[in-house]
Amino acid sequence: MTASGVFYVVIYFLVLLALTKPLGLYMANVFEGRRTFLTPVLRPLERLTYRACGVREDVEQRWTQYAASLIAFSLVGFLFVYAMQRLEGFLPLNPMGFGTAHAPANQTAMTPDLAFNTAVSFVTNTNWQAYGGETTLSYWVQMTALTVQNFVSAAAGIAVAIALVRGFARKQMRSIGNFWVDLTRGTLYVLLPLSFLLALFLCARGVPQTLAAYVKARTLEGRVQTIAVGPVASQEAPKLLGTNGGGFFNQNSAHPYENPTPLTNFVEILAILAIPAGLTYTFGKMVGDTRQGWTLFAAMSVLFFVGVFICTHAEQAGNPNLARLGVETRATAGQPGGNMEGKELRFGIPGSALFTVATTDASCGAVNSMLDSYTPLGGLIPMFNLQTDEVIFGGVGSGLYGILLYAILGVFIAGLMVGRTPEYLGKKIEQKEVKMAMIAVISTAFAILVFAAVTLDARFAAHGYWNPPGPAVANVQNGGPHGFSEVLYAFSSASENNGSAFAGLNANTPWYNLTLGLAMLLGRFLFMIPVLAIAGSLAAKKKIPETSGTLPTHGALFAGLLVGVVLVVGALTFFPALSLGPIVEYLLMLKGKLYSSLILTAWS
Amino acid sequence: MTTPVAAPPDDLTALIPRKTLRARPLFDRELTQRALKQSFVKLNPATLINNPVMFVVEVGAALITVYLARDAVRGAPGVGFEFQIALWLWFTVLFANFAEAMAEARGKAQADTLRKTKTDTLAKRVAADGTMERVPASQLRAGDVVLAEAGDTIPGDGEVMEGIATVDESVITGESAPVIRESGGDRSAVTGGTKVLSDAIKIRITSNPGETFLDRMIALVEGAERQKTPNEIALNILIAGMTLIFLLAVVTLQPFAVFAVHAAGTGAVPSVAVLAALLVCLIPTTIGGLLSAIGIAGMDRVMQHNVLAMSGKAVEASGDINTLLLDKTGTITLGDRQAVEFIPVEGVDPRELADAAQLASLADETPEGRSIVVLAKEKFQLRGREVSELEANFIPFSAYTRMSGVDLHERRLRKGATDAILKFVKEQGGSIPASLEEISERIARSGGTPLAVADGSRALGIIHLKDIVKGGMKERLAQLRAMGIRSVMITGDNPLTAAAIAQEAGVDDFLAQATPKDKLEYIRREQAEGRLVAMTGDGTNDAPALAQADVGVAMNTGTMAAKEAGNMVDLDSNPTKLIEVVAIGKQLLITRGALTTFSIMNDVSKYFAIIPAMFAATYPELSALNIMRLHSPQSAVLAAVIFNALIIIALVPLALRGVKYKPQSAAGMLRRNLWIYGLGGLIAPFPCIWMIDRILGLLHLA
């Protein structure tokens, strides 16, 4: 790893650290209904929303009602996004005529399975994209369907996290807040202002924001090149701040119109983790002990640094086989060295690796480099980040409730070792909490492993309905462990609602659209509903006063324990699978054995 | 100032008699044989399904056995390996069964002993008209009245209505010294199966056949009514969930392997035996196999302290106690007050005061009275004179006069409560020295009891009686505090006295002039703030508080109402034991946590053994993960499986005895246990598996 690479990560972390407290404090104020500096401007809008929707903001909900509201809201969002995509040809703001007779020749057809997959993807905050934005969707769909979900699916995640925090903070109460109020506040007070600022900044650095048609440019060769533009900045900002990750363009943040400069790159990475980091402080503030929040922050930071340094180091070290051939792979004054394949020159290795780690630490899934081209260990890190349920700062809201589930499991096992039935923040961790936490952990493991296994084992008729283009097995474009990684990564990304792609996989087939869509639904709702059940159960409990006999859940010991639980649970579940993917690929690479070509065509 | 009592032992555990009746060596021969037999009985899948982890192992073992039979018939290669895997998987289940059976055997053996004493006796039932008939004890119903005379076995549980008798309760308590049972008060309960040694009592039977204390006790020690405790259920959910996760990981590994074999173009998909072996190694068999043994052994440990826990839940709850209500008398202080000083008023020689006090106390057989005689002897070499030599007329204590003493010729020596003596002196025409009340007040403030002494019309001074805090109690309470447990002293004393003793003993709080209602309210208040409360009690008026407390230990000498209200009965009636019970509860929980952590951390090493072995042919490069350098793929898998089975047996003593428990803060305890069971669990299997691999190599087994 180069000195500038280390410097880049450290500077990034310090800025993130500086943002955590002010942002966290602000969010605590917002969700506890206190006055903030934006109240004069936004409060009328908030009230108007409640009046228009018939929400009574003073009425609180039990966890079941909260969960029902969440599901109902997501279902309506799904139906809306699905309908908008299927009907895009009849809707306005469609200068390129997608879905109509005069669409560009390279248009991706909006099939029912693709529309299903995309609708699920955006409603679940996954933003897996089996389509290319600039060749598939009209501005209307991008704005009213996708960008709206970029805000509200993120706000729903924050709402669930806040509900869980209330569960810890409250004593003997039946209610955990009002979903509609939390959703509205998260959108209005948190995501909207931050997105507004970020979008303005991106516009200033050259990101387009227009409703005009794509630009036709004449190249030096005299050919006509179509340059896709659109309302990019307004979708880009919530894409990152809401850890959505669904890019306006197919190339996502590698595209110069989404992420034009090293500075925008730095700000974009910051935007991914800012709210999740801030929420740790919000948590501490709301439970009345900010040390608790900082402990989570510390545990996350340790995992963050481990991931960033391994990934950057692996990428900077590059492929030893190239070095063996006499190619210079070290960083020199004139070139970055390492593995630059699939990376943008303007970001370099540190700017790409940090983006990749941050986007998978969170459930973001935006990418600025091609993961399929990473070295085996460089690719192992993002995959492992997904499989440990994205709790390193994590997605907005989902990171916090994810790490709290790990904390509950950690407290349950280790807490026994202090000779008391386990308690966390004064709440006894009993059957219901353990059961729900296990359901959440099992559901994502199930979705990843079972769907990947079925996909790898299913033998479709070549060019049949389920797998129209390409090879019959799993549709991967690489052989050996790398092909395996591509499939495992896809289902990890979908199940964990990340949305980034390892790529190297043609995922726009009815089979993948269906299974990945189901994986996203399982990973989202079979995680969130148990979390809400825990919130309800905790809120109803007494709060046991802390004594010297209580397991301290702040400080280095507990942070270390939490890191251990995340690593051990993740490693034990996925070690066999990973050993057949990136781990063996790495060992093979050291022996000079590489897999690049497609060798599976014969198998049908 | 010398204290006229023998120094109490430093370690309070020494105060608790361990009953030889119940203590048996951990691996008693008879128990071991019984447990070995049970290990096979417990293979029945219908019962094993209650333990999901072991059920999965059994299914795995059965599956491989079927494959083994098929392969043996076909004469397929690798049958020897398959046979060994099957064998060790069966052993895994048997070892877990053995652990549970071993824990149960101890209780069953005790139940048998108790059952032997439960012979059907003939009861002397007294009818309403006073006539007596002999009926079998098993026909007695609640409400019947029976007579029990010297030599009779008391036919059922009941309350003494009339009379007083000495009773041998060794059947229940293991204590051979007889106890007194009398009508009225807190000593009125008798237990069926105990024996009247002298006198006769009339008893009203309070329980129906099959519901007697002895029946319940047999059921409890036998574990017949054993239900899983809340924490045990939660832990079971956790390990069942982990089993499911590993099931997913292993089942999906098969298609992954198919893909890998095809992609690599070489090697073979792992056999069912290897996959099942991997699964069994990964699922938390250690804790799954030992979990119920830990719980049963915890209850057994409580029983070895001669405390009968009505449920495992109560033992578990005792580990969670935040507040301990301790009765002052007999728990914090020695039962009786002792004279520690003679303080004369001005103009009186201390020797004269001591002499008068000793004379006034010669006939006083109370411990206080005796301590006065002893103190006078020690301080002024005043010999206790023979009572008969003096032509003395002793005046016993009466509640009316609140003083006692002696009339010796013309001298009228009295000792008693200060105001009573003042009244006496005034009646005798004497005057009151100014300092008398002052001294008296000073002693009261310091927590002592002032006892004034008068010689006719002269008030001589004050004897300072003091509650003596039991030796080691202060340290013990400090340990409790370090563990986060607040101790609260309950006393009938006035607040002033209570405060002084509370400070001397180092309790965190006290409840002075406590009525049963105050106790109940205190417990409710603590519980409302989320704390768990433990207390001991014996009287009927303690019953509501005992029932309200999270852990209520009733004294066996107490009333039936108290015994029914509490969730534990201390057969020795030693209130200090509550502290031990708390420690046992904590130890139980720590043992569970420690073995769960150990079990999970073990998995890491097994991956390093099995994964490279599984794919040795497909991806030989994975042998880089074979950091133990196990000599062959088959031996690697076998070594892991054997380790996995043997570790269960190796940890049985730990599960039955409980992990070492030293009172300290939660943070310290967590750090210590994480090092031992977390890091230990991570590292320990590596050398063990390596060693087993070598042995297998030497024996040419793999």
Side-chain angles (χ1 to χ4, degrees), chain A residues 160-445:
Chain A
V160 171
I162 294 294
L164 180 60
V165 175
R166 285 199 193 105
F168 281 109
R170 292 183 169 183
K171 284 187 248 192
Q172 291 172 289
M173 278 177 77
R174 286 173 168 274
S175 62
I176 54 170
N178 182 320
F179 173 74
W180 307 107
V181 171
D182 291 339
L183 180 76
T184 309
R185 288 193 180 148
T187 310
L188 271 184
Y189 288 86
V190 181
L191 291 164
L192 210 54
L194 286 172
S195 298
F196 188 72
L197 288 179
L198 182 61
L200 281 184
F201 167 79
L202 290 174
C203 281
R205 308 309 304 173
V207 175
Q209 179 72 15
T210 173
L211 295 176
Y214 295 172
V215 177
K216 299 235 186 258
R218 189 162 290 276
T219 64
L220 287 175
E221 291 169 304
R223 294 196 175 183
V224 174
Q225 185 187 359
T226 307
I227 299 173
V229 291
V232 182
S234 62
Q235 187 173 336
E236 190 70 9
K239 165 188 123 178
L240 300 156
L241 285 163
T243 60
N244 288 283
F248 191 91
F249 303 110
N250 195 23
Q251 272 201 306
N252 212 302
S253 279
H255 195 291
Y257 280 176
E258 285 200 21
N259 189 6
T261 69
L263 180 64
T264 58
N265 190 50
F266 185 86
V267 173
E268 287 194 3
I269 309 174
L270 203 58
I272 294 172
L273 293 188
I275 293 177
L279 279 171
T280 61
Y281 189 86
T282 309
F283 162 71
K285 189 77 192 163
M286 284 177 73
V287 299
D289 182 1
T290 49
R291 293 174 307 175
Q292 303 287 349
W294 286 120
T295 303
L296 297 187
F297 184 93
M300 291 168 164
S301 302
V302 170
L303 291 164
F304 166 80
F305 276 114
V306 170
V308 172
F309 284 120
I310 293 179
C311 184
T312 313
H313 176 81
E315 291 312 296
Q316 192 66 58
N319 187 335
N321 296 298
L322 288 175
R324 238 171 266 150
L325 293 170
V327 178
E328 178 60 83
T329 56
R330 280 170 304 166
T332 60
Q335 55 116 337
N339 174 30
M340 275 299 288
E341 186 194 307
K343 296 187 181 65
E344 295 293 305
L345 281 174
R346 63 187 186 284
F347 306 140
I349 287 171
S352 302
L354 180 61
F355 198 112
T356 296
V357 173
T359 202
T360 51
D361 279 345
S363 74
C364 184
V367 287
N368 75 347
S369 50
M370 296 304 122
L371 299 186
D372 206 26
S373 301
Y374 272 47
T375 59
L377 287 187
L380 171 69
I381 294 300
M383 185 145 30
F384 192 66
N385 278 344
L386 302 181
Q387 290 164 348
T388 49
D389 295 329
E390 294 157 348
V391 292
I392 309 170
F393 303 109
V396 286
S398 64
L400 181 62
Y401 62 67
I403 195 90
L404 286 174
L405 281 199
Y406 276 104
I408 284 172
L409 290 178
V411 160
F412 183 75
I413 299 168
L416 281 174
M417 286 196 289
V418 307
R420 295 173 64 96
T421 57
E423 60 203 55
Y424 186 37
L425 300 167
K427 299 288 190 174
K428 274 207 180 307
I429 304 303
E430 293 165 303
Q431 286 171 42
K432 180 150 189 195
E433 290 74 25
V434 173
K435 192 191 291 169
M436 291 300 153
M438 287 315 285
I439 288 177
V441 174
I442 292 170
S443 67
T444 53

Side-chain angles (χ1 to χ4, degrees), chain B residues 42-255:
Chain B
K42 283 171 182 283
L43 284 177
N44 180 359
T47 51
L48 201 63
I49 197 153
N50 293 322
N51 184 344
V53 181
M54 279 305 142
F55 184 73
V56 168
V57 180
E58 188 172 43
V59 170
L63 192 68
I64 302 178
T65 311
V66 170
Y67 272 79
L68 174 68
R70 188 200 66 180
D71 291 348
V73 169
R74 284 186 190 168
V79 172
F81 172 72
E82 228 170 23
F83 171 75
Q84 289 186 67
I85 295 276
L87 191 69
W88 282 103
L89 292 199
W90 284 115
F91 274 143
T92 310
V93 187
L94 285 173
F95 289 168
N97 287 349
F98 176 74
E100 191 182 76
M102 201 60 210
E104 284 170 354
R106 303 167 69 78
K108 290 232 164 75
Q110 283 168 21
D112 287 350
T113 316
L114 285 174
R115 226 179 247 123
K116 275 177 206 149
T117 65
K118 214 187 130 207
T119 47
D120 201 11
T121 47
L122 276 183
K124 298 168 186 166
R125 185 160 69 184
V126 184
D129 55 11
T131 56
M132 201 164 73
E133 52 174 337
R134 287 182 179 267
V135 292
S138 56
Q139 286 179 16
L140 290 175
R141 317 290 305 176
D144 286 349
V145 176
V146 296
L147 180 73
E149 292 165 305
D152 288 352
T153 299
I154 296 176
D157 297 354
E159 300 271 348
V160 180
M161 293 169 68
E162 261 178 58
I164 176 165
T166 50
V167 179
D168 172 13
E169 292 196 337
S170 61
V171 179
I172 308 284
T173 63
E175 179 65 66
S176 53
V179 293
I180 291 183
R181 290 288 177 252
E182 59 188 327
S183 61
D186 290 344
R187 302 275 182 272
S188 64
V190 288
T191 311
T194 58
K195 221 170 183 173
V196 178
L197 293 180
S198 70
D199 307 297
I201 41 175
K202 233 184 215 175
I203 303 160
R204 179 186 290 115
I205 299 294
T206 51
S207 62
N208 289 320
E211 297 165 12
T212 64
F213 188 71
L214 200 60
D215 288 323
R216 266 162 73 202
M217 191 165 160
I218 291 170
L220 279 170
V221 295
E222 200 170 36
E225 290 169 19
R226 202 180 103 77
Q227 286 177 330
K228 282 184 179 151
T229 60
N231 176 262
E232 206 177 338
I233 296 172
L235 193 53
N236 241 320
I237 292 172
L238 180 91
I239 59 179
M242 299 205 63
T243 305
L244 200 55
I245 288 180
F246 288 124
L247 201 61
L248 285 173
V250 173
V251 167
T252 56
L253 194 55
Q254 205 270 347

Side-chain angles (χ1 to χ4, degrees), chain A residues 413 416-421 428 449 456 542-543 545 547-551 572-573 576 579 584 587-588 599 603, chain B residues 245 252 259 262-263 319-320 322 481-484 527 529 586 589-590 597 607 611 619 621 666 669-670 673:
Chain A
I413 299 168
L416 281 174
M417 286 196 289
V418 307
R420 295 173 64 96
T421 57
K428 274 207 180 307
L449 292 170
L456 287 167
K542 290 179 185 167
K543 216 171 165 73
T547 67
S548 57
T550 313
L551 171 80
L572 290 182
T573 313
S579 67
V584 75
L587 296 171
L588 288 165
I599 58 156
W603 202 22
Chain B
I245 288 180
T252 56
F259 182 88
H262 191 82
D320 278 352
N322 302 89
R481 199 169 306 115
M483 286 152 58
Q527 287 174 335
E529 286 166 31
K586 285 196 178 294
L589 293 168
I590 296 172
T597 310
Y607 268 136
I611 292 291
Y619 290 128
E621 292 78 8
M669 204 132 51
L670 178 65
N673 289 326

Side-chain angles (χ1 to χ4, degrees), chain A residues 451-512:
Chain A
F451 282 121
V454 172
T455 300
L456 287 167
D457 222 22
R459 285 151 203 201
F460 304 107
H463 307 285
Y465 170 75
W466 286 108
N467 203 34
V473 173
N475 218 357
V476 293
Q477 290 167 11
N478 290 78
H482 201 74
F484 177 75
S485 296
E486 288 164 355
V487 175
L488 187 63
Y489 193 98
F491 284 101
S492 301
S493 176
S495 306
E496 300 292 350
N497 300 141
N498 185 279
S500 62
F502 211 60
L505 182 76
N506 181 358
N508 186 17
T509 68
W511 172 258
Y512 273 120

